[in-house]
Amino acid sequence: MEKTLLPAGKLWLVGAGPGDPDLLTLRAARLLTAADLVVHDGLVGEGVLALIPAHVERISVAKQRSRHTMKQELINDLIVREAMAGKQVVRLKGGDPFIFGRGGEELEAAREAGVACEVVPGITAAAGCAAQAGLPLTHREDASAVSFVAGQCKDLTDQDWSGLAGHGRTLVIYMGLATASAIADKLIADGVSPDLPVAVVERGTTADARVLRTLLTDLGDLVAREKVGSPALIIVGKVAARADALDCLGAPGVAANIENMRDFT
């Protein structure tokens, strides 16, 4: 008996950008309309999801700290299985697939299974949030190097962050809200000045974004007293002083007070 050959499917690892649908690439937008299945993260903006046609199947694999709708290994199995069944599968990821997006793991799974896979880059949160805040990650007077780190990794105190922040450098911390106090203590213990400016960008690139500025020594307290919510980005370095931000050093609830005042204007 002749074997029935399955139609050729393909996997696309697509960056959805930091939230604003206007920051989606044209290639990404076209793929959303041509897909058979979109498997998306929780950080993908609602405006981006609204671009997916009603007939396209959608599966959410949203992840939150310490709670996963679906483990990464199962996500790998899902997208590979659906592509091998002949579907055009878009794996839609917040920001860029290869910057703290586990896109590398998904690409490896596709390669091992012999599934065709293509990566479509997206604007990562660091670039998108900094741009909205008017904060240059590099500047001739302040910084000639930029580093990205994840702030929620296990054994944070054991990681070597030496040289990532300080004179001439900008440090961008993803997923660092829950460990903000530990991050500040770690950097100060490694020799970074407690007076180094820090900016926190909450819900960056969206209509309800907040940009708060303080000093490194106040970072943990700022996150707590202003009730900063996820997603948020922490930017450490002299360039943070250039951000269009609310100065919140030691001023309890200043951001909330300003928002309340706006409600009455």
Side-chain angles (χ1 to χ4, degrees):
M1 295 179 63
E2 293 184 0
K3 291 183 179 180
T4 301
L5 297 178
L6 293 173
K10 186 169 181 178
L11 173 63
W12 307 80
L13 303 179
V14 178
D20 185 347
D22 285 345
L23 297 179
L24 195 68
T25 66
L26 291 174
R27 187 169 182 77
R30 285 196 294 265
L31 286 171
L32 291 181
T33 63
D36 297 310
L37 170 66
V38 175
V39 179
H40 64 88
D41 287 341
L43 289 178
V44 176
E46 288 298 324
V48 174
L49 294 177
L51 300 175
I52 303 172
H55 70 272
V56 175
E57 183 183 1
R58 278 200 254 173
I59 298 177
S60 172
V61 290
K63 299 179 183 179
Q64 297 179 4
R65 183 176 174 83
S66 302
R67 189 173 74 223
H68 303 286
T69 302
M70 186 180 293
K71 292 184 178 297
Q72 185 61 50
E73 293 78 9
L74 295 178
I75 296 174
N76 295 350
D77 292 343
L78 168 66
I79 57 180
V80 166
R81 181 176 66 250
E82 295 296 329
M84 292 182 71
K87 293 182 180 179
Q88 301 297 308
V89 180
V90 168
R91 175 68 175 101
L92 189 62
K93 312 174 77 65
D96 180 88
F98 280 179
I99 299 182
F100 303 123
R102 296 193 173 182
E105 298 173 41
E106 293 169 351
L107 176 60
E108 290 170 2
R111 285 172 171 169
E112 289 176 3
V115 170
C117 183
E118 186 171 332
V119 181
V120 179
I123 295 176
T124 189
C129 294
Q132 183 186 40
L135 191 163
L137 294 177
T138 64
H139 192 285
R140 283 200 302 168
E141 296 178 7
D142 294 336
S144 58
V146 184
S147 298
F148 299 161
V149 300
Q152 68 173 20
C153 295
K154 295 180 180 179
D155 303 320
L156 180 65
T157 56
D158 295 332
Q159 295 182 49
D160 183 8
W161 285 12
S162 58
L164 297 185
H167 180 70
R169 297 176 176 86
T170 301
L171 177 62
V172 181
I173 303 165
Y174 289 67
M175 302 167 286
L177 287 186
T179 54
S181 293
I183 287 169
D185 291 343
K186 174 181 178 60
L187 291 173
I188 292 170
D190 286 346
V192 178
S193 171
D195 295 333
L196 194 65
V198 173
V200 179
V201 186
E202 179 186 39
R203 300 186 297 272
T205 78
T206 67
D208 56 350
R210 285 198 301 173
V211 186
L212 311 175
R213 183 172 56 232
T214 188
L215 302 179
L216 180 59
T217 188
D218 182 53
L219 174 60
D221 290 339
L222 168 72
V223 169
R225 68 174 178 262
E226 297 298 343
K227 298 179 174 60
V228 179
S230 182
L233 203 69
I234 300 170
I235 302 175
V236 182
K238 288 184 67 177
V239 293
R242 299 179 180 272
D244 297 325
L246 297 173
D247 284 309
C248 299
L249 178 62
V254 64
N257 290 338
I258 290 175
E259 290 299 323
N260 289 336
M261 290 173 62
R262 288 175 180 168
D263 291 340
F264 290 100
T265 59

Short mmCIF file of all heavy atoms in Angstrom, two decimals, residues 133-166:
data_model
loop_
_atom_site.label_atom_id
_atom_site.label_comp_id
_atom_site.label_asym_id
_atom_site.label_seq_id
_atom_site.Cartn_x
_atom_site.Cartn_y
_atom_site.Cartn_z
N ALA A 133 9.55 56.04 26.81
CA ALA A 133 9.95 56.88 27.94
C ALA A 133 10.95 57.96 27.54
O ALA A 133 11.37 58.73 28.40
CB ALA A 133 10.54 56.00 29.04
N GLY A 134 11.35 57.99 26.27
CA GLY A 134 12.35 58.96 25.86
C GLY A 134 13.69 58.70 26.53
O GLY A 134 14.44 59.64 26.83
N LEU A 135 13.99 57.44 26.75
CA LEU A 135 15.19 57.04 27.48
C LEU A 135 16.16 56.35 26.52
O LEU A 135 15.90 55.22 26.09
CB LEU A 135 14.79 56.09 28.62
CG LEU A 135 15.81 55.73 29.69
CD1 LEU A 135 15.10 55.13 30.90
CD2 LEU A 135 16.85 54.73 29.20
N PRO A 136 17.26 56.99 26.16
CA PRO A 136 18.23 56.35 25.26
C PRO A 136 19.06 55.31 26.01
O PRO A 136 19.72 55.64 26.99
CB PRO A 136 19.11 57.53 24.81
CG PRO A 136 19.03 58.50 25.94
CD PRO A 136 17.67 58.36 26.55
N LEU A 137 19.00 54.07 25.56
CA LEU A 137 19.76 53.03 26.25
C LEU A 137 21.26 53.24 26.11
O LEU A 137 22.04 52.79 26.97
CB LEU A 137 19.36 51.66 25.71
CG LEU A 137 17.92 51.23 26.01
CD1 LEU A 137 17.62 49.88 25.36
CD2 LEU A 137 17.65 51.17 27.51
N THR A 138 21.67 53.87 25.03
CA THR A 138 23.07 54.29 24.89
C THR A 138 23.09 55.80 24.66
O THR A 138 22.14 56.37 24.12
CB THR A 138 23.77 53.59 23.71
OG1 THR A 138 23.14 53.98 22.48
CG2 THR A 138 23.71 52.08 23.87
N HIS A 139 24.17 56.43 25.11
CA HIS A 139 24.32 57.87 24.95
C HIS A 139 25.81 58.18 25.02
O HIS A 139 26.51 57.63 25.88
CB HIS A 139 23.55 58.60 26.06
CG HIS A 139 23.40 60.07 25.84
ND1 HIS A 139 24.45 60.96 26.03
CD2 HIS A 139 22.33 60.81 25.44
CE1 HIS A 139 24.03 62.19 25.76
NE2 HIS A 139 22.74 62.12 25.39
N ARG A 140 26.29 59.06 24.16
CA ARG A 140 27.73 59.33 24.11
C ARG A 140 28.28 59.80 25.46
O ARG A 140 29.44 59.54 25.78
CB ARG A 140 28.04 60.38 23.05
CG ARG A 140 28.00 59.82 21.63
CD ARG A 140 28.76 60.69 20.67
NE ARG A 140 28.23 62.06 20.62
CZ ARG A 140 28.86 63.08 20.04
NH1 ARG A 140 30.03 62.88 19.45
NH2 ARG A 140 28.32 64.28 20.03
N GLU A 141 27.45 60.46 26.24
CA GLU A 141 27.94 60.97 27.52
C GLU A 141 27.74 59.99 28.68
O GLU A 141 28.40 60.13 29.71
CB GLU A 141 27.22 62.29 27.86
CG GLU A 141 27.50 63.42 26.87
CD GLU A 141 26.73 64.67 27.24
OE1 GLU A 141 26.10 64.69 28.31
OE2 GLU A 141 26.77 65.63 26.44
N ASP A 142 26.85 59.01 28.50
CA ASP A 142 26.46 58.20 29.65
C ASP A 142 26.71 56.70 29.52
O ASP A 142 27.00 56.04 30.51
CB ASP A 142 24.97 58.41 29.94
CG ASP A 142 24.65 59.81 30.40
OD1 ASP A 142 25.56 60.49 30.91
OD2 ASP A 142 23.48 60.23 30.22
N ALA A 143 26.53 56.14 28.33
CA ALA A 143 26.60 54.68 28.23
C ALA A 143 26.97 54.23 26.83
O ALA A 143 26.35 54.67 25.86
CB ALA A 143 25.26 54.05 28.63
N SER A 144 27.94 53.34 26.75
CA SER A 144 28.34 52.76 25.46
C SER A 144 28.13 51.25 25.44
O SER A 144 28.53 50.58 24.48
CB SER A 144 29.82 53.07 25.17
OG SER A 144 30.65 52.56 26.20
N ALA A 145 27.51 50.70 26.49
CA ALA A 145 27.24 49.27 26.55
C ALA A 145 25.90 49.04 27.23
O ALA A 145 25.53 49.77 28.16
CB ALA A 145 28.35 48.54 27.32
N VAL A 146 25.17 48.02 26.75
CA VAL A 146 23.87 47.67 27.32
C VAL A 146 23.84 46.17 27.58
O VAL A 146 24.29 45.38 26.75
CB VAL A 146 22.72 48.03 26.35
CG1 VAL A 146 21.37 47.72 27.01
CG2 VAL A 146 22.78 49.47 25.93
N SER A 147 23.31 45.78 28.75
CA SER A 147 23.15 44.37 29.08
C SER A 147 21.71 44.09 29.45
O SER A 147 21.06 44.91 30.11
CB SER A 147 24.05 43.99 30.27
OG SER A 147 25.42 44.18 29.96
N PHE A 148 21.21 42.92 29.02
CA PHE A 148 19.88 42.47 29.38
C PHE A 148 20.02 41.28 30.34
O PHE A 148 20.76 40.34 30.05
CB PHE A 148 19.08 41.99 28.16
CG PHE A 148 18.85 43.06 27.12
CD1 PHE A 148 18.51 42.69 25.82
CD2 PHE A 148 18.95 44.41 27.40
CE1 PHE A 148 18.28 43.64 24.84
CE2 PHE A 148 18.73 45.37 26.44
CZ PHE A 148 18.39 44.99 25.15
N VAL A 149 19.29 41.30 31.45
CA VAL A 149 19.31 40.16 32.37
C VAL A 149 17.88 39.86 32.81
O VAL A 149 17.00 40.72 32.76
CB VAL A 149 20.19 40.41 33.63
CG1 VAL A 149 21.62 40.67 33.23
CG2 VAL A 149 19.63 41.55 34.46
N ALA A 150 17.66 38.62 33.27
CA ALA A 150 16.37 38.22 33.83
C ALA A 150 16.46 38.28 35.34
O ALA A 150 17.38 37.71 35.94
CB ALA A 150 16.00 36.81 33.37
N GLY A 151 15.53 38.98 35.96
CA GLY A 151 15.60 39.20 37.40
C GLY A 151 14.91 38.15 38.24
O GLY A 151 14.96 38.21 39.46
N GLN A 152 14.27 37.16 37.62
CA GLN A 152 13.53 36.17 38.40
C GLN A 152 14.23 34.82 38.46
O GLN A 152 13.64 33.84 38.89
CB GLN A 152 12.13 35.99 37.82
CG GLN A 152 12.09 35.32 36.46
CD GLN A 152 10.66 35.01 36.03
OE1 GLN A 152 9.71 35.58 36.53
NE2 GLN A 152 10.52 34.10 35.09
N CYS A 153 15.47 34.77 38.01
CA CYS A 153 16.18 33.50 38.02
C CYS A 153 16.43 33.02 39.45
O CYS A 153 16.56 33.81 40.38
CB CYS A 153 17.52 33.62 37.29
SG CYS A 153 17.36 33.95 35.53
N LYS A 154 16.52 31.71 39.61
CA LYS A 154 16.83 31.15 40.91
C LYS A 154 18.27 31.49 41.31
O LYS A 154 19.13 31.72 40.47
CB LYS A 154 16.65 29.63 40.88
CG LYS A 154 15.22 29.17 40.64
CD LYS A 154 15.12 27.67 40.62
CE LYS A 154 13.69 27.21 40.37
NZ LYS A 154 13.58 25.73 40.33
N ASP A 155 18.51 31.51 42.64
CA ASP A 155 19.86 31.77 43.15
C ASP A 155 20.43 33.08 42.60
O ASP A 155 21.56 33.15 42.13
CB ASP A 155 20.81 30.61 42.81
CG ASP A 155 20.31 29.28 43.37
OD1 ASP A 155 19.81 29.27 44.50
OD2 ASP A 155 20.42 28.28 42.65
N LEU A 156 19.61 34.14 42.70
CA LEU A 156 19.99 35.44 42.16
C LEU A 156 21.31 35.92 42.74
O LEU A 156 22.17 36.45 42.02
CB LEU A 156 18.88 36.45 42.45
CG LEU A 156 19.09 37.89 41.96
CD1 LEU A 156 19.12 37.92 40.44
CD2 LEU A 156 17.97 38.79 42.48
N THR A 157 21.51 35.73 44.05
CA THR A 157 22.71 36.24 44.69
C THR A 157 23.97 35.53 44.21
O THR A 157 25.06 36.06 44.34
CB THR A 157 22.60 36.09 46.22
OG1 THR A 157 22.34 34.71 46.54
CG2 THR A 157 21.48 36.96 46.77
N ASP A 158 23.81 34.33 43.66
CA ASP A 158 24.98 33.57 43.19
C ASP A 158 25.38 33.92 41.76
O ASP A 158 26.45 33.50 41.30
CB ASP A 158 24.70 32.07 43.27
CG ASP A 158 24.50 31.59 44.70
OD1 ASP A 158 25.08 32.23 45.60
OD2 ASP A 158 23.77 30.60 44.90
N GLN A 159 24.56 34.69 41.06
CA GLN A 159 24.88 35.03 39.69
C GLN A 159 25.94 36.14 39.64
O GLN A 159 26.00 37.00 40.52
CB GLN A 159 23.63 35.49 38.95
CG GLN A 159 22.58 34.41 38.79
CD GLN A 159 21.39 34.91 38.02
OE1 GLN A 159 21.51 35.50 36.96
NE2 GLN A 159 20.21 34.67 38.55
N ASP A 160 26.74 36.10 38.62
CA ASP A 160 27.81 37.09 38.46
C ASP A 160 27.33 38.22 37.56
O ASP A 160 27.27 38.07 36.34
CB ASP A 160 29.05 36.42 37.85
CG ASP A 160 30.23 37.39 37.73
OD1 ASP A 160 30.12 38.52 38.26
OD2 ASP A 160 31.24 37.01 37.12
N TRP A 161 26.97 39.33 38.17
CA TRP A 161 26.54 40.51 37.42
C TRP A 161 27.63 41.59 37.41
O TRP A 161 27.37 42.73 37.04
CB TRP A 161 25.27 41.10 38.03
CG TRP A 161 24.03 40.32 37.74
CD1 TRP A 161 23.95 39.06 37.20
CD2 TRP A 161 22.68 40.74 37.98
NE1 TRP A 161 22.63 38.68 37.11
CE2 TRP A 161 21.83 39.69 37.57
CE3 TRP A 161 22.11 41.90 38.49
CZ2 TRP A 161 20.44 39.76 37.67
CZ3 TRP A 161 20.73 41.98 38.60
CH2 TRP A 161 19.91 40.92 38.18
N SER A 162 28.82 41.25 37.83
CA SER A 162 29.89 42.24 37.93
C SER A 162 30.15 42.88 36.57
O SER A 162 30.24 42.20 35.55
CB SER A 162 31.17 41.59 38.45
OG SER A 162 31.58 40.54 37.61
N GLY A 163 30.22 44.20 36.56
CA GLY A 163 30.51 44.93 35.33
C GLY A 163 29.30 45.21 34.47
O GLY A 163 29.44 45.84 33.42
N LEU A 164 28.11 44.76 34.86
CA LEU A 164 26.94 44.97 34.02
C LEU A 164 26.31 46.34 34.24
O LEU A 164 25.58 46.84 33.38
CB LEU A 164 25.89 43.88 34.28
CG LEU A 164 26.30 42.45 33.95
CD1 LEU A 164 25.12 41.51 34.13
CD2 LEU A 164 26.84 42.35 32.53
N ALA A 165 26.53 46.94 35.39
CA ALA A 165 25.96 48.25 35.69
C ALA A 165 27.06 49.14 36.27
O ALA A 165 28.03 48.65 36.84
CB ALA A 165 24.80 48.14 36.67
N GLY A 166 26.87 50.44 36.11
CA GLY A 166 27.87 51.37 36.64
C GLY A 166 28.30 52.36 35.58
O GLY A 166 27.55 52.68 34.65
#
